[in-house]
Amino acid sequence: MNSNGEGRTDYRRSLVLVMAIGLLATSAWVLWRYENTGTVKMVGSATGRIGLVLGALWLAWPSLRKPASWLPPGFAVLGVLVLAILAAQPRLILVMVPAFGGLLVLASIFRAKRQ
């Protein structure tokens, strides 16, 4: 592993793929096996959406490594978490997007003042 952590990226990308496949398989199993009522339908749909988001993250992993350097530390991960939350409950977009934008602006201001 290099000092900048390049050796770990293959492990992380593989882990994201395993998680995506696991969530999509769980979603298919829940929606196929159980009655589509109430909570069961919500859990099946949410795991499917989060699995799709993680699958898209797995596909975009190589291109995400470069732009993440200009983001404040931890914001790439926070962005993925916001996408996963929005995939599970799309109505939260009215809260999550402004909150994420506000945190990004605050972090950028603090980072600029520190330098």
Side-chain angles (χ1 to χ4, degrees), residues 22-99:
L23 285 169
L24 289 172
T26 301
S27 173
W29 182 73
V30 166
L31 292 175
W32 176 72
R33 176 74 173 100
Y34 296 102
E35 290 183 24
N36 289 335
T37 58
T39 305
V40 174
K41 186 174 184 179
M42 188 269 304
V43 168
S45 298
T47 55
R49 289 179 188 149
I50 294 171
L52 288 175
V53 169
L54 288 177
L57 176 65
W58 177 77
L59 286 174
W61 190 271
S63 63
L64 286 176
R65 289 181 62 223
K66 201 75 156 168
S69 64
W70 57 267
L71 285 172
F75 264 86
V77 174
L78 182 63
V80 172
L81 289 175
V82 167
L83 285 176
I85 291 169
L86 290 178
Q89 189 57 258
R91 285 184 271 167
L92 289 177
I93 195 167
L94 297 175
V95 176
M96 296 304 291
V97 170

